[in-house]
Amino acid sequence: EVCNGLDDNCDGRIDEGCGSSSGNIPITLAWNTGADIDLYVTDPMGETISYSHTQAASGGHLDHDARGNYRSSQPNNTIENVYWNTPNPPRGTYQVALHYWGECNSNAGPTTTTLSISVGGRIIGAYNYTLTPNQRVTVATFHIP
């Protein structure tokens, strides 16, 4: 397994061994420059998990907040991870957004991100998106019936 936001060994788990937790719903973001990219996951109750709100009442957790070159000594400083480790995660619609904090490393330029989502041990989406400084975009929406 390579720490790149993908399930390289096709076992339904994303970046295992890279310092992030897993669970019934892992959502993992990786990127290819020293930029500071932030992951935002909004649960079916409307609560958003991010660097400023790392736990949701629904059981979601941000367990790895990376800062790119701004915190270059941090292991895996270009990977962020949100997960739910409950047997029955909340039913409903989840929204996943990314934000490029350009002011921390404005010389990084356009940055390609990789976002993977797994539900119940099955990858339901893998997305590549190139962000520019200060851009915020919703990359994925998924539903748990």
Side-chain angles (χ1 to χ4, degrees), residues 111-132:
T111 296
T112 300
T113 63
T114 300
L115 174 75
S116 291
I117 302 167
S118 177
V119 175
R122 185 175 65 88
I123 302 298
I124 64 164
Y127 309 87
N128 288 316
Y129 197 93
T130 300
L131 295 169
T132 56

Side-chain angles (χ1 to χ4, degrees), residues 39-136:
L39 175 62
Y40 294 81
V41 181
T42 303
D43 70 16
M45 279 62 79
E47 193 171 2
T48 300
I49 301 164
S50 70
Y51 71 94
S52 64
H53 185 72
T54 60
Q55 294 186 346
S58 64
H61 299 272
L62 172 75
D63 72 330
H64 193 77
D65 176 30
R67 301 289 306 277
N69 285 346
Y70 187 72
R71 193 180 298 149
S72 60
S73 63
Q74 177 188 28
N76 298 315
N77 66 343
T78 59
I79 295 176
E80 294 208 353
N81 187 65
V82 169
Y83 72 99
W84 276 259
N85 198 24
T86 56
N88 298 306
R91 297 175 186 270
T93 302
Y94 294 74
Q95 185 177 50
V96 184
L98 310 177
H99 186 202
Y100 185 137
W101 280 96
E103 55 274 302
C104 289
N105 190 345
S106 60
N107 64 349
T111 296
T112 300
T113 63
T114 300
L115 174 75
S116 291
I117 302 167
S118 177
V119 175
R122 185 175 65 88
I123 302 298
I124 64 164
Y127 309 87
N128 288 316
Y129 197 93
T130 300
L131 295 169
T132 56
N134 299 312
Q135 183 179 10
R136 183 171 177 163

